[in-house]
Amino acid sequence: TSFPIYCRTVEPLEYYRRFLKENCRPDGRELGEFRATTVNIGSITTADGSALVKLGNTTVICGVKAELAAPAVDSANKGYIVPNVELPSLCSTRFRSGPPGEEAQAASQFIADVIENSQIIAKEDLCIANGKLAWVLYCDIICLDYDGNILDASAFALLAALKNVQLPSVTINEETGLSEVNLKQKNPLVIRKHPVATSFAIFDDTLLVVDPTAEEEDLATGTVTIVTDEEDRLCSVHKPGGSPLTGAKLQDCITRAITRHKEVKKLIDKVIKSIKPN
């Protein structure tokens, strides 16, 4: 039966449920299917590492800028990683100009948790001279086009950008005590783990759809994001309220997340290989 399109605006949830009953979605995807995903790295030449990720229409860019600083007194052998997610008004009509809103703050906190829980980088690796000098990595993640699932896109862009970072070698001159930076000699970061996020929208408390669009997020009764690494280890489960999930449903999400990890890792490896000089 054909269903008039105007019902999508009048009764979006009913319109949507008609698709879910047939195990598909208005954009033609199956419930467990991600949108087309692409990644480009090194596109911001002024950054020390960068990546542009697209999940369907959702477009996110991550630039990493490295600066030198003194390590904190209580962690003299560690550097810093400072993530920030921006959702500017240009990416969607739902965001206003001005200080970061709730969703941007929540996304920044999520990325900070992913860095902490996954041990993507050992902060000890960012230390140059114990108690004297360390790297600070400012990871700015900016959404250019918002159509849902900002967390997966942001986590992906962060990982790809960090894998693209090249840091100059730094030594401390024994006589002067000053740092000397050698820009000709650059080294990649040691990426210890590869965390990948996989998000789901929950419909009517029971149905799960992966990689939700903005419209799907608005209609959903909840969302859940699973972060796994290459050893199929669960790094975190991010569930900001909404519908509760049974253990079995959560296990389904984890299984799908493990498969997604392999897809993302393959994409990153392929793009890195394509730009490496032979």
mmCIF file of all heavy atoms in Angstrom, residues 80-127:
data_model
loop_
_atom_site.group_PDB
_atom_site.id
_atom_site.type_symbol
_atom_site.label_atom_id
_atom_site.label_comp_id
_atom_site.label_asym_id
_atom_site.label_seq_id
_atom_site.Cartn_x
_atom_site.Cartn_y
_atom_site.Cartn_z
ATOM 1 N N TYR A 80 49.558 15.362 27.554
ATOM 2 C CA TYR A 80 48.121 15.622 27.643
ATOM 3 C C TYR A 80 47.443 15.383 26.296
ATOM 4 O O TYR A 80 48.033 15.637 25.250
ATOM 5 C CB TYR A 80 47.848 17.091 28.005
ATOM 6 C CG TYR A 80 48.625 17.651 29.170
ATOM 7 C CD1 TYR A 80 49.906 18.168 28.995
ATOM 8 C CD2 TYR A 80 48.048 17.708 30.440
ATOM 9 C CE1 TYR A 80 50.612 18.722 30.059
ATOM 10 C CE2 TYR A 80 48.749 18.258 31.513
ATOM 11 C CZ TYR A 80 50.027 18.763 31.315
ATOM 12 O OH TYR A 80 50.718 19.308 32.354
ATOM 13 N N ILE A 81 46.181 14.927 26.368
ATOM 14 C CA ILE A 81 45.336 14.895 25.155
ATOM 15 C C ILE A 81 44.069 15.668 25.503
ATOM 16 O O ILE A 81 43.376 15.324 26.475
ATOM 17 C CB ILE A 81 44.960 13.452 24.748
ATOM 18 C CG1 ILE A 81 46.209 12.584 24.636
ATOM 19 C CG2 ILE A 81 44.215 13.453 23.414
ATOM 20 C CD1 ILE A 81 45.900 11.119 24.410
ATOM 21 N N VAL A 82 43.795 16.720 24.732
ATOM 22 C CA VAL A 82 42.660 17.591 25.043
ATOM 23 C C VAL A 82 41.669 17.588 23.867
ATOM 24 O O VAL A 82 41.891 18.253 22.861
ATOM 25 C CB VAL A 82 43.140 19.044 25.309
ATOM 26 C CG1 VAL A 82 41.976 19.922 25.747
ATOM 27 C CG2 VAL A 82 44.260 19.059 26.349
ATOM 28 N N PRO A 83 40.589 16.793 23.981
ATOM 29 C CA PRO A 83 39.622 16.768 22.871
ATOM 30 C C PRO A 83 38.535 17.829 23.026
ATOM 31 O O PRO A 83 38.202 18.227 24.138
ATOM 32 C CB PRO A 83 39.014 15.366 23.000
ATOM 33 C CG PRO A 83 39.066 15.072 24.466
ATOM 34 C CD PRO A 83 40.222 15.845 25.046
ATOM 35 N N ASN A 84 38.001 18.261 21.905
ATOM 36 C CA ASN A 84 36.886 19.204 21.932
ATOM 37 C C ASN A 84 36.017 18.979 20.698
ATOM 38 O O ASN A 84 36.530 18.950 19.586
ATOM 39 C CB ASN A 84 37.424 20.639 21.941
ATOM 40 C CG ASN A 84 36.291 21.652 22.006
ATOM 41 O OD1 ASN A 84 35.355 21.501 22.777
ATOM 42 N ND2 ASN A 84 36.342 22.662 21.163
ATOM 43 N N VAL A 85 34.722 18.774 20.929
ATOM 44 C CA VAL A 85 33.795 18.580 19.800
ATOM 45 C C VAL A 85 32.964 19.848 19.629
ATOM 46 O O VAL A 85 32.371 20.346 20.589
ATOM 47 C CB VAL A 85 32.864 17.360 20.034
ATOM 48 C CG1 VAL A 85 31.882 17.206 18.874
ATOM 49 C CG2 VAL A 85 33.684 16.086 20.208
ATOM 50 N N GLU A 86 32.944 20.355 18.410
ATOM 51 C CA GLU A 86 32.152 21.556 18.122
ATOM 52 C C GLU A 86 31.013 21.214 17.169
ATOM 53 O O GLU A 86 31.222 20.537 16.160
ATOM 54 C CB GLU A 86 33.022 22.629 17.464
ATOM 55 C CG GLU A 86 33.941 23.348 18.438
ATOM 56 C CD GLU A 86 34.775 24.404 17.724
ATOM 57 O OE1 GLU A 86 34.207 25.136 16.871
ATOM 58 O OE2 GLU A 86 35.980 24.477 18.009
ATOM 59 N N LEU A 87 29.815 21.699 17.525
ATOM 60 C CA LEU A 87 28.656 21.552 16.639
ATOM 61 C C LEU A 87 28.200 22.970 16.277
ATOM 62 O O LEU A 87 27.293 23.514 16.893
ATOM 63 C CB LEU A 87 27.531 20.786 17.360
ATOM 64 C CG LEU A 87 27.889 19.372 17.842
ATOM 65 C CD1 LEU A 87 26.772 18.792 18.693
ATOM 66 C CD2 LEU A 87 28.163 18.455 16.658
ATOM 67 N N PRO A 88 28.868 23.596 15.298
ATOM 68 C CA PRO A 88 28.553 24.993 14.976
ATOM 69 C C PRO A 88 27.195 25.126 14.285
ATOM 70 O O PRO A 88 26.659 24.145 13.748
ATOM 71 C CB PRO A 88 29.691 25.398 14.039
ATOM 72 C CG PRO A 88 30.175 24.120 13.441
ATOM 73 C CD PRO A 88 29.917 23.038 14.444
ATOM 74 N N SER A 89 26.659 26.336 14.292
ATOM 75 C CA SER A 89 25.334 26.548 13.695
ATOM 76 C C SER A 89 25.333 26.237 12.197
ATOM 77 O O SER A 89 24.291 25.932 11.629
ATOM 78 C CB SER A 89 24.876 27.991 13.938
ATOM 79 O OG SER A 89 25.850 28.895 13.479
ATOM 80 N N LEU A 90 26.521 26.271 11.557
ATOM 81 C CA LEU A 90 26.556 26.011 10.106
ATOM 82 C C LEU A 90 26.217 24.543 9.785
ATOM 83 O O LEU A 90 25.830 24.230 8.667
ATOM 84 C CB LEU A 90 27.916 26.389 9.521
ATOM 85 C CG LEU A 90 29.140 25.524 9.865
ATOM 86 C CD1 LEU A 90 29.289 24.358 8.883
ATOM 87 C CD2 LEU A 90 30.408 26.357 9.831
ATOM 88 N N CYS A 91 26.380 23.624 10.764
ATOM 89 C CA CYS A 91 26.194 22.204 10.431
ATOM 90 C C CYS A 91 24.736 21.767 10.503
ATOM 91 O O CYS A 91 24.358 20.746 9.950
ATOM 92 C CB CYS A 91 27.079 21.316 11.313
ATOM 93 S SG CYS A 91 26.516 21.121 13.012
ATOM 94 N N SER A 92 23.897 22.546 11.203
ATOM 95 C CA SER A 92 22.488 22.180 11.310
ATOM 96 C C SER A 92 21.696 23.325 11.924
ATOM 97 O O SER A 92 22.219 24.082 12.748
ATOM 98 C CB SER A 92 22.330 20.944 12.201
ATOM 99 O OG SER A 92 20.976 20.751 12.558
ATOM 100 N N THR A 93 20.423 23.408 11.550
ATOM 101 C CA THR A 93 19.569 24.470 12.108
ATOM 102 C C THR A 93 19.281 24.216 13.590
ATOM 103 O O THR A 93 18.814 25.109 14.284
ATOM 104 C CB THR A 93 18.217 24.527 11.352
ATOM 105 O OG1 THR A 93 17.684 23.198 11.323
ATOM 106 C CG2 THR A 93 18.391 25.031 9.936
ATOM 107 N N ARG A 94 19.562 22.984 14.083
ATOM 108 C CA ARG A 94 19.254 22.698 15.500
ATOM 109 C C ARG A 94 20.275 23.306 16.454
ATOM 110 O O ARG A 94 20.062 23.295 17.661
ATOM 111 C CB ARG A 94 19.111 21.192 15.732
ATOM 112 C CG ARG A 94 20.376 20.390 15.508
ATOM 113 C CD ARG A 94 20.151 18.931 15.848
ATOM 114 N NE ARG A 94 19.259 18.283 14.898
ATOM 115 C CZ ARG A 94 18.542 17.205 15.168
ATOM 116 N NH1 ARG A 94 18.616 16.636 16.336
ATOM 117 N NH2 ARG A 94 17.749 16.675 14.261
ATOM 118 N N PHE A 95 21.410 23.803 15.929
ATOM 119 C CA PHE A 95 22.427 24.375 16.809
ATOM 120 C C PHE A 95 22.514 25.884 16.643
ATOM 121 O O PHE A 95 22.349 26.401 15.549
ATOM 122 C CB PHE A 95 23.795 23.735 16.545
ATOM 123 C CG PHE A 95 23.773 22.239 16.690
ATOM 124 C CD1 PHE A 95 24.086 21.414 15.619
ATOM 125 C CD2 PHE A 95 23.392 21.657 17.892
ATOM 126 C CE1 PHE A 95 24.034 20.034 15.742
ATOM 127 C CE2 PHE A 95 23.344 20.274 18.030
ATOM 128 C CZ PHE A 95 23.661 19.459 16.953
ATOM 129 N N ARG A 96 22.784 26.548 17.762
ATOM 130 C CA ARG A 96 22.901 28.012 17.767
ATOM 131 C C ARG A 96 24.370 28.418 17.884
ATOM 132 O O ARG A 96 25.168 27.671 18.444
ATOM 133 C CB ARG A 96 22.133 28.591 18.974
ATOM 134 C CG ARG A 96 20.640 28.308 18.929
ATOM 135 C CD ARG A 96 19.892 29.348 18.113
ATOM 136 N NE ARG A 96 18.526 28.905 17.791
ATOM 137 C CZ ARG A 96 18.224 28.234 16.689
ATOM 138 N NH1 ARG A 96 19.165 27.896 15.822
ATOM 139 N NH2 ARG A 96 16.972 27.891 16.429
ATOM 140 N N SER A 97 24.670 29.620 17.429
ATOM 141 C CA SER A 97 26.019 30.158 17.643
ATOM 142 C C SER A 97 26.195 30.463 19.128
ATOM 143 O O SER A 97 25.215 30.611 19.843
ATOM 144 C CB SER A 97 26.208 31.443 16.843
ATOM 145 O OG SER A 97 26.063 31.154 15.473
ATOM 146 N N GLY A 98 27.446 30.572 19.542
ATOM 147 C CA GLY A 98 27.686 30.895 20.953
ATOM 148 C C GLY A 98 28.403 29.771 21.667
ATOM 149 O O GLY A 98 28.990 28.901 21.030
ATOM 150 N N PRO A 99 28.349 29.775 23.011
ATOM 151 C CA PRO A 99 29.065 28.742 23.768
ATOM 152 C C PRO A 99 28.513 27.352 23.456
ATOM 153 O O PRO A 99 27.357 27.221 23.021
ATOM 154 C CB PRO A 99 28.802 29.122 25.234
ATOM 155 C CG PRO A 99 27.623 30.036 25.210
ATOM 156 C CD PRO A 99 27.638 30.726 23.886
ATOM 157 N N PRO A 100 29.332 26.296 23.648
ATOM 158 C CA PRO A 100 28.890 24.944 23.283
ATOM 159 C C PRO A 100 27.620 24.522 24.024
ATOM 160 O O PRO A 100 27.491 24.766 25.235
ATOM 161 C CB PRO A 100 30.069 24.045 23.663
ATOM 162 C CG PRO A 100 30.938 24.875 24.546
ATOM 163 C CD PRO A 100 30.692 26.294 24.180
ATOM 164 N N GLY A 101 26.691 23.940 23.282
ATOM 165 C CA GLY A 101 25.443 23.475 23.878
ATOM 166 C C GLY A 101 25.623 22.121 24.543
ATOM 167 O O GLY A 101 26.722 21.564 24.590
ATOM 168 N N GLU A 102 24.513 21.589 25.019
ATOM 169 C CA GLU A 102 24.520 20.327 25.770
ATOM 170 C C GLU A 102 25.075 19.166 24.948
ATOM 171 O O GLU A 102 25.892 18.376 25.428
ATOM 172 C CB GLU A 102 23.078 20.017 26.188
ATOM 173 C CG GLU A 102 22.975 19.188 27.434
ATOM 174 C CD GLU A 102 21.523 19.060 27.895
ATOM 175 O OE1 GLU A 102 20.860 20.102 28.097
ATOM 176 O OE2 GLU A 102 21.066 17.913 28.012
ATOM 177 N N GLU A 103 24.633 19.079 23.687
ATOM 178 C CA GLU A 103 25.042 17.932 22.865
ATOM 179 C C GLU A 103 26.544 17.967 22.554
ATOM 180 O O GLU A 103 27.223 16.948 22.579
ATOM 181 C CB GLU A 103 24.228 17.879 21.563
ATOM 182 C CG GLU A 103 24.428 16.554 20.852
ATOM 183 C CD GLU A 103 23.462 16.295 19.706
ATOM 184 O OE1 GLU A 103 22.469 17.042 19.558
ATOM 185 O OE2 GLU A 103 23.697 15.343 18.955
ATOM 186 N N ALA A 104 27.068 19.180 22.302
ATOM 187 C CA ALA A 104 28.508 19.320 22.025
ATOM 188 C C ALA A 104 29.326 18.970 23.266
ATOM 189 O O ALA A 104 30.351 18.280 23.180
ATOM 190 C CB ALA A 104 28.816 20.746 21.572
ATOM 191 N N GLN A 105 28.850 19.399 24.427
ATOM 192 C CA GLN A 105 29.555 19.091 25.676
ATOM 193 C C GLN A 105 29.540 17.586 25.952
ATOM 194 O O GLN A 105 30.561 17.006 26.353
ATOM 195 C CB GLN A 105 28.919 19.842 26.843
ATOM 196 C CG GLN A 105 29.216 21.334 26.825
ATOM 197 C CD GLN A 105 28.554 22.073 27.981
ATOM 198 O OE1 GLN A 105 28.380 21.535 29.058
ATOM 199 N NE2 GLN A 105 28.187 23.313 27.747
ATOM 200 N N ALA A 106 28.382 16.969 25.706
ATOM 201 C CA ALA A 106 28.259 15.520 25.934
ATOM 202 C C ALA A 106 29.175 14.754 24.972
ATOM 203 O O ALA A 106 29.814 13.762 25.359
ATOM 204 C CB ALA A 106 26.804 15.086 25.751
ATOM 205 N N ALA A 107 29.260 15.227 23.719
ATOM 206 C CA ALA A 107 30.120 14.571 22.725
ATOM 207 C C ALA A 107 31.595 14.719 23.114
ATOM 208 O O ALA A 107 32.370 13.767 23.008
ATOM 209 C CB ALA A 107 29.869 15.154 21.336
ATOM 210 N N SER A 108 31.991 15.905 23.602
ATOM 211 C CA SER A 108 33.376 16.126 24.038
ATOM 212 C C SER A 108 33.724 15.195 25.202
ATOM 213 O O SER A 108 34.812 14.612 25.238
ATOM 214 C CB SER A 108 33.588 17.581 24.479
ATOM 215 O OG SER A 108 33.457 18.457 23.383
ATOM 216 N N GLN A 109 32.781 15.058 26.131
ATOM 217 C CA GLN A 109 33.003 14.182 27.289
ATOM 218 C C GLN A 109 33.104 12.724 26.844
ATOM 219 O O GLN A 109 33.942 11.971 27.337
ATOM 220 C CB GLN A 109 31.858 14.354 28.301
ATOM 221 C CG GLN A 109 32.076 13.622 29.622
ATOM 222 C CD GLN A 109 33.383 13.998 30.310
ATOM 223 O OE1 GLN A 109 33.658 15.164 30.551
ATOM 224 N NE2 GLN A 109 34.225 13.001 30.600
ATOM 225 N N PHE A 110 32.258 12.343 25.891
ATOM 226 C CA PHE A 110 32.289 10.975 25.353
ATOM 227 C C PHE A 110 33.662 10.678 24.741
ATOM 228 O O PHE A 110 34.254 9.631 25.004
ATOM 229 C CB PHE A 110 31.185 10.801 24.298
ATOM 230 C CG PHE A 110 31.309 9.535 23.490
ATOM 231 C CD1 PHE A 110 30.904 8.313 23.998
ATOM 232 C CD2 PHE A 110 31.864 9.570 22.204
ATOM 233 C CE1 PHE A 110 31.045 7.142 23.253
ATOM 234 C CE2 PHE A 110 32.007 8.409 21.451
ATOM 235 C CZ PHE A 110 31.582 7.199 21.990
ATOM 236 N N ILE A 111 34.173 11.605 23.927
ATOM 237 C CA ILE A 111 35.490 11.410 23.288
ATOM 238 C C ILE A 111 36.592 11.343 24.348
ATOM 239 O O ILE A 111 37.498 10.506 24.262
ATOM 240 C CB ILE A 111 35.768 12.524 22.246
ATOM 241 C CG1 ILE A 111 34.780 12.416 21.067
ATOM 242 C CG2 ILE A 111 37.200 12.462 21.738
ATOM 243 C CD1 ILE A 111 34.909 11.157 20.216
ATOM 244 N N ALA A 112 36.511 12.197 25.374
ATOM 245 C CA ALA A 112 37.494 12.162 26.467
ATOM 246 C C ALA A 112 37.467 10.795 27.158
ATOM 247 O O ALA A 112 38.519 10.226 27.476
ATOM 248 C CB ALA A 112 37.201 13.277 27.473
ATOM 249 N N ASP A 113 36.260 10.255 27.363
ATOM 250 C CA ASP A 113 36.117 8.928 27.995
ATOM 251 C C ASP A 113 36.691 7.827 27.110
ATOM 252 O O ASP A 113 37.317 6.890 27.597
ATOM 253 C CB ASP A 113 34.641 8.630 28.296
ATOM 254 C CG ASP A 113 34.085 9.531 29.394
ATOM 255 O OD1 ASP A 113 34.893 10.151 30.115
ATOM 256 O OD2 ASP A 113 32.846 9.632 29.513
ATOM 257 N N VAL A 114 36.463 7.941 25.798
ATOM 258 C CA VAL A 114 36.996 6.933 24.854
ATOM 259 C C VAL A 114 38.529 6.925 24.930
ATOM 260 O O VAL A 114 39.151 5.869 25.006
ATOM 261 C CB VAL A 114 36.529 7.211 23.402
ATOM 262 C CG1 VAL A 114 37.317 6.376 22.391
ATOM 263 C CG2 VAL A 114 35.033 6.917 23.261
ATOM 264 N N ILE A 115 39.125 8.114 24.948
ATOM 265 C CA ILE A 115 40.593 8.221 25.025
ATOM 266 C C ILE A 115 41.092 7.562 26.311
ATOM 267 O O ILE A 115 42.048 6.790 26.311
ATOM 268 C CB ILE A 115 41.032 9.705 24.965
ATOM 269 C CG1 ILE A 115 40.743 10.283 23.573
ATOM 270 C CG2 ILE A 115 42.509 9.861 25.308
ATOM 271 C CD1 ILE A 115 40.846 11.796 23.483
ATOM 272 N N GLU A 116 40.403 7.862 27.414
ATOM 273 C CA GLU A 116 40.803 7.351 28.732
ATOM 274 C C GLU A 116 40.604 5.836 28.840
ATOM 275 O O GLU A 116 41.507 5.104 29.241
ATOM 276 C CB GLU A 116 39.966 8.073 29.807
ATOM 277 C CG GLU A 116 40.594 8.109 31.181
ATOM 278 C CD GLU A 116 41.968 8.778 31.218
ATOM 279 O OE1 GLU A 116 42.133 9.877 30.648
ATOM 280 O OE2 GLU A 116 42.876 8.163 31.792
ATOM 281 N N ASN A 117 39.415 5.359 28.459
ATOM 282 C CA ASN A 117 39.071 3.946 28.657
ATOM 283 C C ASN A 117 39.763 3.000 27.690
ATOM 284 O O ASN A 117 40.010 1.847 28.013
ATOM 285 C CB ASN A 117 37.555 3.732 28.530
ATOM 286 C CG ASN A 117 36.778 4.458 29.600
ATOM 287 O OD1 ASN A 117 37.303 4.685 30.687
ATOM 288 N ND2 ASN A 117 35.556 4.859 29.304
ATOM 289 N N SER A 118 40.057 3.493 26.487
ATOM 290 C CA SER A 118 40.610 2.584 25.477
ATOM 291 C C SER A 118 42.128 2.546 25.516
ATOM 292 O O SER A 118 42.737 1.633 24.971
ATOM 293 C CB SER A 118 40.175 3.032 24.089
ATOM 294 O OG SER A 118 40.788 4.277 23.791
ATOM 295 N N GLN A 119 42.733 3.574 26.149
ATOM 296 C CA GLN A 119 44.202 3.699 26.123
ATOM 297 C C GLN A 119 44.707 3.770 24.677
ATOM 298 O O GLN A 119 45.681 3.117 24.314
ATOM 299 C CB GLN A 119 44.867 2.517 26.858
ATOM 300 C CG GLN A 119 44.519 2.461 28.338
ATOM 301 C CD GLN A 119 45.042 3.675 29.107
ATOM 302 O OE1 GLN A 119 46.225 3.937 29.122
ATOM 303 N NE2 GLN A 119 44.152 4.431 29.723
ATOM 304 N N ILE A 120 44.018 4.547 23.848
ATOM 305 C CA ILE A 120 44.377 4.742 22.431
ATOM 306 C C ILE A 120 45.838 5.185 22.315
ATOM 307 O O ILE A 120 46.576 4.754 21.450
ATOM 308 C CB ILE A 120 43.385 5.758 21.784
ATOM 309 C CG1 ILE A 120 43.635 5.950 20.294
ATOM 310 C CG2 ILE A 120 43.388 7.091 22.485
ATOM 311 C CD1 ILE A 120 42.508 6.735 19.599
ATOM 312 N N ILE A 121 46.231 6.068 23.251
ATOM 313 C CA ILE A 121 47.623 6.521 23.329
ATOM 314 C C ILE A 121 48.019 6.454 24.802
ATOM 315 O O ILE A 121 47.227 6.824 25.671
ATOM 316 C CB ILE A 121 47.743 7.987 22.854
ATOM 317 C CG1 ILE A 121 47.566 8.067 21.342
ATOM 318 C CG2 ILE A 121 49.088 8.602 23.231
ATOM 319 C CD1 ILE A 121 47.510 9.474 20.832
ATOM 320 N N ALA A 122 49.226 5.993 25.074
ATOM 321 C CA ALA A 122 49.729 6.049 26.454
ATOM 322 C C ALA A 122 50.266 7.465 26.665
ATOM 323 O O ALA A 122 51.120 7.925 25.906
ATOM 324 C CB ALA A 122 50.825 5.014 26.651
ATOM 325 N N LYS A 123 49.748 8.147 27.666
ATOM 326 C CA LYS A 123 50.180 9.533 27.890
ATOM 327 C C LYS A 123 51.677 9.614 28.211
ATOM 328 O O LYS A 123 52.309 10.642 28.012
ATOM 329 C CB LYS A 123 49.341 10.173 28.994
ATOM 330 C CG LYS A 123 47.916 10.461 28.528
ATOM 331 C CD LYS A 123 47.079 11.101 29.597
ATOM 332 C CE LYS A 123 45.631 11.230 29.107
ATOM 333 N NZ LYS A 123 44.717 11.456 30.210
ATOM 334 N N GLU A 124 52.227 8.506 28.687
ATOM 335 C CA GLU A 124 53.680 8.447 28.940
ATOM 336 C C GLU A 124 54.473 8.625 27.639
ATOM 337 O O GLU A 124 55.584 9.155 27.643
ATOM 338 C CB GLU A 124 54.074 7.100 29.577
ATOM 339 C CG GLU A 124 53.593 6.907 31.006
ATOM 340 C CD GLU A 124 52.136 6.454 31.124
ATOM 341 O OE1 GLU A 124 51.434 6.359 30.087
ATOM 342 O OE2 GLU A 124 51.698 6.202 32.256
ATOM 343 N N ASP A 125 53.886 8.177 26.524
ATOM 344 C CA ASP A 125 54.557 8.312 25.218
ATOM 345 C C ASP A 125 54.689 9.774 24.789
ATOM 346 O O ASP A 125 55.457 10.105 23.890
ATOM 347 C CB ASP A 125 53.781 7.551 24.123
ATOM 348 C CG ASP A 125 53.856 6.040 24.305
ATOM 349 O OD1 ASP A 125 54.709 5.588 25.098
ATOM 350 O OD2 ASP A 125 53.067 5.329 23.658
ATOM 351 N N LEU A 126 53.890 10.652 25.419
ATOM 352 C CA LEU A 126 53.913 12.076 25.044
ATOM 353 C C LEU A 126 54.910 12.866 25.885
ATOM 354 O O LEU A 126 55.078 14.071 25.703
ATOM 355 C CB LEU A 126 52.507 12.683 25.197
ATOM 356 C CG LEU A 126 51.411 12.071 24.322
ATOM 357 C CD1 LEU A 126 50.056 12.681 24.655
ATOM 358 C CD2 LEU A 126 51.716 12.242 22.851
ATOM 359 N N CYS A 127 55.563 12.185 26.834
ATOM 360 C CA CYS A 127 56.543 12.857 27.684
ATOM 361 C C CYS A 127 57.888 12.922 26.955
ATOM 362 O O CYS A 127 58.340 11.935 26.377
ATOM 363 C CB CYS A 127 56.685 12.101 28.999
ATOM 364 S SG CYS A 127 57.829 12.911 30.122
#
